[in-house]
Amino acid sequence: MAADLPPSTSLQPPTNKRLDWRTIPWWLVAIGLIIAFMGFRIISDPEYTRIFETILTGLGTTLMVTGISFICALILGLVLGLGRVSRNLILRNLSIGYIEFIRGVPILVLIFTISFAIVPALSDWITINGQKLTVSLTARAIIALVLIYAAYIAEIFRAGIESISRGQMEAARSLGMTHGQAMRYVILPQAFRNVLPALGNDLIAILKDSSLVSVLGVREITQVSRLSVSSSFKYEETYFILTAFYLTMTLVLSLLLQWLQRKMSSNVH
Amino acid sequence: MSTKLANSNQPMISINKVSKFFGDFRALDEVSLTVDRGEVLMIVGPSGSGKSTLLRCINHLEVPDAGEIMIDGKHVTPKERELNAIRAEVGMVFQRFELFPHLTVLENICLAQQKVRKSSRSESEKIARSLLEKVGIPEQANKYPPKLSGGQQQRVAIARSLAMQPKVILFDEPTSALDPEMINEVLDVMLTLASEGMTMVVVSHEMGFARKAAHQVVFMDGGTIVEQGTPDQVFGAPQHERTKLFLSRILH
């Protein structure tokens, strides 16, 4: 989804004003046409309109689950990533152990395990006003996505930190800064900029994987579609529209991230 | 009176039987050396001779495996807090400048003042601007380092280390990553510092700088000091075969 666009025409000599057919992103045109065609069917066909409106009721949940999960996974991922490169033996091994554990198990299995085994086991221990804590399925879905994606994002941060040359740390330390200060003011700001594209890819990946929490019965767009199909039996229409939903969102995000990246790299330096 | 005298006679840096291994490779073999206050010491030698390792041991960027190092009467230890305090007083200038590319020139010079010395923003900027004046590039204050030429970047790096008001500055091949036409602008700044009485340890092969500013030259090879003396002694009348061979290679 995040494939690079061909170089923009502004990079070419100014004399060449004619649009070169080779520089047109044909794949984007094709996907755009598919989405436009689905849009046309939704407007013109009442059956499609009805299904579209049904799926739309789950969009808020999809976006909320994606957004909250991504932000929390960023924070936990940064903590784990810092632990991953820590000189502290215990911290480092805990972080590596956690990351390898998560990455060694399929996401779908983890969603089941976290939602139906780990969260209930933990919530049994917590009582509020004499009542046992109940965690909603949506909250369990978010917890699962956060715990899973934090491990993947931690690896991104680790790579980002390791991409900054050793000399930067040495320069900061030779000025008398502590390891923590050097990390915070010198290494992390540079690492963060380097990993922005990879983080963007993970945002798109969480958006797509939020469909997996439909197995918990969370009413996001995939679950809403499945429920709709089970009574209407309109398989073709429903799943084509659902596909168009995801495709539109990932495409918009991907283009937005590319634009952001180009803006950042032209702003500084 | 007598304690004051003793204090000022005490060397700025004293290195006592320092050894360093990288795996089985002996990078430094019981090296001892002293640098007096205001002295400019130059270290020359072929690559792999241990000269950079020795320099990096002084502020513990490399921790020696044996021996001890004193700076201004204080032991350089691996203990975090004490080490940070010592490092704040020992400037270091790197071959590849190592400016912080995400900060402006001014911010590069202010960062450690504010975070380590806890100076105010206005105070640190005042010092930064006067130092940029000193190294001759006040107009570059708000640019980002990658926009500057190599010579300008190295002068910013020198200003950055001066901002901490160091007692010593260590130079690790400060001109070897520079295009030839930019070497002199950096050497001129270094000559100024030397004439102002800054204690400097310089790893470099710049003969011109050595003849103009160095008080003492050390020739290293194989992790040991082979020969040391004034520039005229070491460059003019080297005693050892290895020194002669090395000099004949870099002079021609």
Side-chain angles (χ1 to χ4, degrees):
Chain A
M1 236 25 285
D4 286 334
L5 285 167
S8 70
T9 44
S10 65
L11 289 176
Q12 293 177 350
T15 48
N16 184 9
K17 277 196 174 166
R18 261 200 5 235
L19 197 59
D20 188 341
W21 64 273
R22 272 169 300 215
T23 64
I24 296 173
W26 290 108
W27 62 271
L28 188 61
V29 174
I31 295 174
L33 280 175
I34 292 171
I35 292 170
F37 175 69
M38 287 308 294
F40 170 72
R41 292 296 296 271
I42 288 163
I43 292 166
S44 59
D45 186 331
E47 192 59 46
Y48 272 71
T49 313
R50 195 190 57 75
I51 297 170
F52 172 78
E53 282 168 353
T54 307
I55 297 180
L56 200 59
T57 60
L59 186 63
T61 307
T62 290
L63 294 179
M64 183 197 72
V65 167
T66 304
I68 296 178
S69 302
F70 182 65
I71 290 166
C72 297
L74 268 186
I75 297 164
L76 184 57
L78 178 59
V79 172
L80 280 169
L82 285 171
R84 179 77 176 71
V85 296
S86 167
R87 294 166 299 174
N88 183 311
L89 197 71
I90 297 166
L91 268 181
R92 192 172 65 238
N93 276 287
L94 276 176
S95 304
I96 296 175
Y98 180 82
I99 292 165
E100 294 303 324
F101 179 93
I102 295 288
R103 297 208 310 168
V105 181
I107 292 182
L108 187 59
V109 174
L110 281 170
I111 287 174
F112 282 127
T113 310
I114 293 168
S115 307
F116 296 131
I118 296 174
V119 170
L122 290 178
S123 62
D124 273 357
W125 289 92
I126 305 165
T127 50
I128 297 165
N129 299 333
Q131 281 196 314
K132 273 192 182 158
L133 180 75
T134 51
V135 184
S136 75
L137 283 171
T138 308
R140 292 185 204 197
I142 291 171
I143 291 170
L145 286 177
V146 168
L147 293 180
I148 295 163
Y149 267 90
Y152 290 91
I153 288 175
E155 280 296 282
I156 293 177
F157 277 122
R158 178 194 60 79
I161 290 166
E162 286 176 354
S163 75
I164 307 303
S165 79
R166 239 174 74 114
Q168 288 284 300
M169 178 58 90
E170 289 180 349
R173 296 307 302 275
S174 73
L175 287 163
M177 281 188 232
T178 65
H179 184 83
Q181 285 176 325
M183 260 300 171
R184 182 167 159 207
Y185 301 112
V186 177
I187 307 297
L188 282 181
Q190 298 182 60
F192 196 72
R193 189 186 294 167
N194 286 356
V195 301
L196 266 184
L199 290 179
N201 284 343
D202 264 26
L203 172 59
I204 291 170
I206 290 195
L207 175 66
K208 290 189 291 180
D209 285 345
S210 72
S211 65
L212 292 173
V213 304
S214 62
V215 298
L216 304 182
V218 175
R219 286 174 171 260
E220 42 70 66
I221 54 176
T222 304
Q223 175 66 0
V224 170
S225 303
R226 284 171 57 193
L227 289 174
S228 169
V229 157
S230 67
S231 58
S232 70
F233 303 107
K234 302 273 183 198
Y235 287 97
E236 199 187 301
E237 297 86 337
T238 309
Y239 286 128
F240 273 146
I241 295 175
L242 179 62
T243 303
F245 258 95
Y246 281 112
L247 203 51
T248 310
M249 289 190 289
T250 51
L251 197 65
V252 167
L253 267 181
S254 164
L255 292 176
L256 209 69
L257 289 165
Q258 281 181 32
W259 170 80
L260 193 76
Q261 214 181 307
R262 221 172 299 148
K263 199 168 167 236
M264 279 196 66
S265 57
S266 63
N267 254 359
V268 195
H269 307 171
Chain B
M1 192 65 190
S2 62
T3 52
K4 201 182 170 188
L5 251 175
N7 218 346
S8 63
N9 284 337
Q10 186 184 50
M12 184 60 93
I13 303 174
S14 76
I15 298 166
N16 192 13
K17 292 190 171 173
V18 163
S19 296
K20 174 73 187 174
F21 293 85
F22 295 114
D24 285 339
F25 177 69
R26 191 193 297 261
L28 290 177
D29 186 9
E30 298 199 341
V31 175
S32 296
L33 190 63
T34 60
V35 185
D36 290 327
R37 274 154 214 283
E39 182 180 329
V40 176
L41 171 82
M42 217 150 150
I43 307 175
V44 298
S47 63
S49 60
K51 56 194 194 305
S52 277
T53 305
L54 179 62
L55 194 75
R56 291 160 59 84
C57 278
I58 294 174
N59 65 350
H60 268 39
L61 285 183
E62 304 288 358
V63 179
D65 294 313
E68 58 174 20
I69 291 168
M70 308 263 281
I71 295 178
D72 200 18
K74 277 181 246 158
H75 257 286
V76 186
T77 71
K79 285 183 199 142
E80 276 286 321
R81 189 166 299 182
E82 290 153 54
L83 182 57
N84 287 336
I86 289 172
R87 279 173 171 167
E89 299 191 321
V90 179
M92 182 139 191
V93 175
F94 298 84
Q95 182 176 358
R96 310 213 138 269
F97 329 132
E98 301 299 349
L99 294 175
F100 308 134
H102 61 300
L103 301 176
T104 64
V105 163
L106 199 68
E107 289 165 342
N108 261 279
I109 305 174
C110 290
L111 183 66
Q113 292 188 69
Q114 291 170 3
K115 303 305 174 193
V116 179
R117 295 259 190 259
K118 312 290 179 200
S119 309
S120 71
R121 194 191 158 99
S122 59
E123 194 185 335
S124 59
E125 283 188 1
K126 205 175 122 193
I127 291 173
R129 286 190 193 281
S130 74
L131 286 172
L132 281 176
E133 198 82 47
K134 185 184 176 114
V135 299
I137 39 175
E139 73 285 356
Q140 310 288 353
N142 295 316
K143 286 194 185 159
Y144 285 92
K147 291 266 191 225
L148 270 54
S149 73
Q152 291 172 328
Q153 288 192 51
Q154 195 60 299
R155 285 188 278 162
V156 173
I158 294 172
R160 179 175 69 178
S161 68
L162 285 173
M164 300 299 282
Q165 289 157 324
K167 293 173 176 167
V168 194
I169 304 185
L170 312 174
F171 293 83
D172 192 2
E173 309 208 24
T175 57
S176 40
L178 295 176
D179 291 336
E181 73 269 23
M182 292 169 183
I183 289 176
N184 277 330
E185 61 189 64
V186 171
L187 290 182
D188 284 346
V189 171
M190 291 169 63
L191 283 171
T192 309
L193 291 181
S195 69
E196 289 170 358
M198 175 64 76
T199 310
M200 297 160 70
V201 182
V202 184
V203 170
S204 172
H205 294 157
E206 293 295 337
M207 292 298 162
F209 177 79
R211 290 197 188 275
K212 279 183 212 158
H215 302 105
Q216 201 186 167
V217 174
V218 165
F219 172 72
M220 285 184 75
D221 195 13
T224 57
I225 292 173
V226 175
E227 189 160 352
Q228 84 188 86
T230 65
D232 284 343
Q233 287 169 343
V234 176
F235 297 142
Q239 300 299 305
H240 292 259
E241 278 310 311
R242 280 191 283 177
T243 319
K244 285 177 193 165
L245 186 67
F246 172 74
L247 289 174
S248 73
R249 279 183 188 151
I250 64 162
L251 289 176
H252 301 287

